Amino acid sequence: MAEPKFRVCLCMFWAVCPKDDFQEELVIRPLHSGDIYASFQFRTLWDTDFMRENKVSHYRLFPKSLGQVISKFSVRELHISFTQGYWRTMQWGQPFIPSPPGAELWVWFQDSVTDVDATWKELTNVLSGIFCASLNFIDSTNTVQPSASFKPLGIGNVTDHSFLRYATLPREIVCTENLTPWKKLLPCGSKAGLAVLLKSEKLFHSSFHSQAVHIRSVCQDWQCKTTSWELRQTVNSVFDLHNSGQAKREWSLFKMFSRTLTEACPLASSSKLYIDITDNPQGEQFELSPATSLLSQAVVLGDRRTFSVYDLTQETTFGSVRSLNLLIRWKSNEGEMLRPLLHAERYVAGYGLQTGEIHTLMYNNHPYRSFPVLLLDSVPWYLRLYIHTLSVTSKGKDNKPSYIHYEPSKDRVKPHLLEMLIQLPPNSVTEVTVQFERALLKWTEYPPDPNHGFYVGSSVISSLVPSTVAMDTNSTRERPLFSSFFPCKEESSYFVRIYTEPLLVNLPTPDFSMPYNVICLTCTVVAVGYGSLYNLLTRSFQIEEPNPGLAKRIANVIRKMRGVPPL
């Protein structure tokens, strides 16, 4: 009778415990250039309350390290990304989840936090240890508090931006040390499911690689009567045709990841592989092998896309060999990618090491619709902006922003913060320019390679772009993970966030070889001058008689033998 009692107790235990769920997806989009865009998404949902007095002690699918971070620091939302490379929007289109080069971190804290700055500093140190990154270098000099950008992506309409902190490290290098702890957060780790494809030697050989963690609260039903915590882990990568050494336009899972799929994660309720075939309806551009009859449509970034779906929870997907090695063989090079409706770029102009000018270009490629964009710029304090030189022009005319928020920098304390709401005319290029002056740093503030330059983080552009199809505003409806990250409030538009290139700016740099020359010259003078004087002061002098000749020495020997005193 012991076994039935144990089963009854176990069932009662799971009935009391909060419900959790895990899903995994991989989306592969063949690009017209012959490259491959692969996007992994892993989502863990947990119906629990981290803010209650009784701390959560039992963890099943949700990682305990992140649960303790949420509880200890009263986190409402947390978004962190590590990116190597720059996303080429005009060649690859819009990504499912954007991220800037380097490291990015933005956090919403609960209203109960009294000292946000101290909590933010402690949180960055803890996250630095969890992800083996340099997030401990985030301080007040690279942290800003946006007033309009970075609204919460989860539930709740928070208007007090004093609980928001945003920071970037554009020079952060992403390596295996960051990927390994990221994979350990997954319920199955890298032992089963789609995570077996995440091999560092292949991912870091790609043209673009980004890994991110997003934590937020989401609704479970349409009325949002019950909520749950969502942990979404994403990996986005673009495999270049030429860098991979491919002799022909042919891709497979094994060529991309050096692994094939053999099973789904046993803890996952859903495990699917999507192939974007929107531009290949009749198979005239590329061929899929093995083929699947399961198709799915989803609205992604304002466009209706068609996907071939491989359900990894079904044994028939793997065939008799118990392995799935998807093959994409290109047939034709014809076809053009539709230009994205919104993209941007940024560069530094000027000459010399005293002044310069930052140019930000925003392109609206819609033929007849204008829409507003929200531009955020965070500029380090050592680039002293002349805000009176700020100008916004569209089609050769001044374009006055409808909203401007500017916080000046303070030397060695905080950076500049500039936010503007600008209306982009249809089929136009809007240019934002501002002049700056380079500061002269203390010699102890320069990095080990000062002549390499100083990085300035990417500009952030957020906008509601007109959609060609009706968007789904029901966030609780079951949809693919790659189409449900950003909340949609209107059917006629969708939210887009893009990042520009980071800037590399040279500052006035002293000749660091001069201290070495001065040290060498000083040591030489000291050794020669002071050494000679010290010898003269401390040396003892004695008078020595000249040595007697040979005849005199012989005579003294004879006199000594006779007992006569020497000469």
Side-chain angles (χ1 to χ4, degrees), residues 323-342:
S323 178
L324 177 60
N325 184 24
L326 187 66
L327 177 64
I328 302 176
R329 184 181 292 109
W330 287 85
K331 295 181 179 180
S332 173
N333 298 336
E334 298 180 357
E336 294 182 359
M337 183 192 70
L338 294 176
R339 291 194 307 170
L341 295 180
L342 175 64

Side-chain angles (χ1 to χ4, degrees), residues 300-408:
V300 184
L301 297 173
D303 188 18
R304 192 176 302 278
R305 313 292 295 183
T306 305
F307 300 89
S308 293
V309 184
Y310 297 83
D311 192 351
L312 303 183
T313 58
Q314 304 296 327
E315 295 184 359
T316 56
T317 304
F318 302 97
S320 58
V321 295
R322 292 296 304 168
S323 178
L324 177 60
N325 184 24
L326 187 66
L327 177 64
I328 302 176
R329 184 181 292 109
W330 287 85
K331 295 181 179 180
S332 173
N333 298 336
E334 298 180 357
E336 294 182 359
M337 183 192 70
L338 294 176
R339 291 194 307 170
L341 295 180
L342 175 64
H343 71 98
E345 59 186 22
R346 189 168 66 150
Y347 61 91
V348 175
Y351 58 90
L353 294 177
Q354 183 177 1
T355 60
E357 196 171 43
I358 298 178
H359 292 250
T360 304
L361 303 178
M362 295 176 289
Y363 297 82
N364 178 8
N365 296 322
H366 202 285
Y368 56 88
R369 289 283 299 274
S370 63
F371 51 86
V373 298
L374 187 61
L375 173 65
L376 181 144
D377 257 333
S378 176
V379 183
W381 62 268
Y382 44 77
L383 298 183
R384 294 165 179 166
L385 297 182
Y386 293 153
I387 201 65
H388 69 279
T389 63
L390 177 66
S391 66
V392 182
T393 57
S394 299
K395 295 183 177 181
K397 300 180 181 179
D398 291 338
N399 187 348
K400 186 177 180 180
S402 57
Y403 170 79
I404 296 180
H405 172 74
Y406 174 68
E407 294 182 7

Side-chain angles (χ1 to χ4, degrees), residues 441-462:
L441 305 181
K442 299 178 181 179
W443 71 274
T444 56
E445 295 174 340
Y446 286 90
D449 52 346
N451 292 304
H452 177 76
F454 292 77
Y455 284 90
V456 180
S458 304
S459 295
V460 187
I461 300 174
S462 307

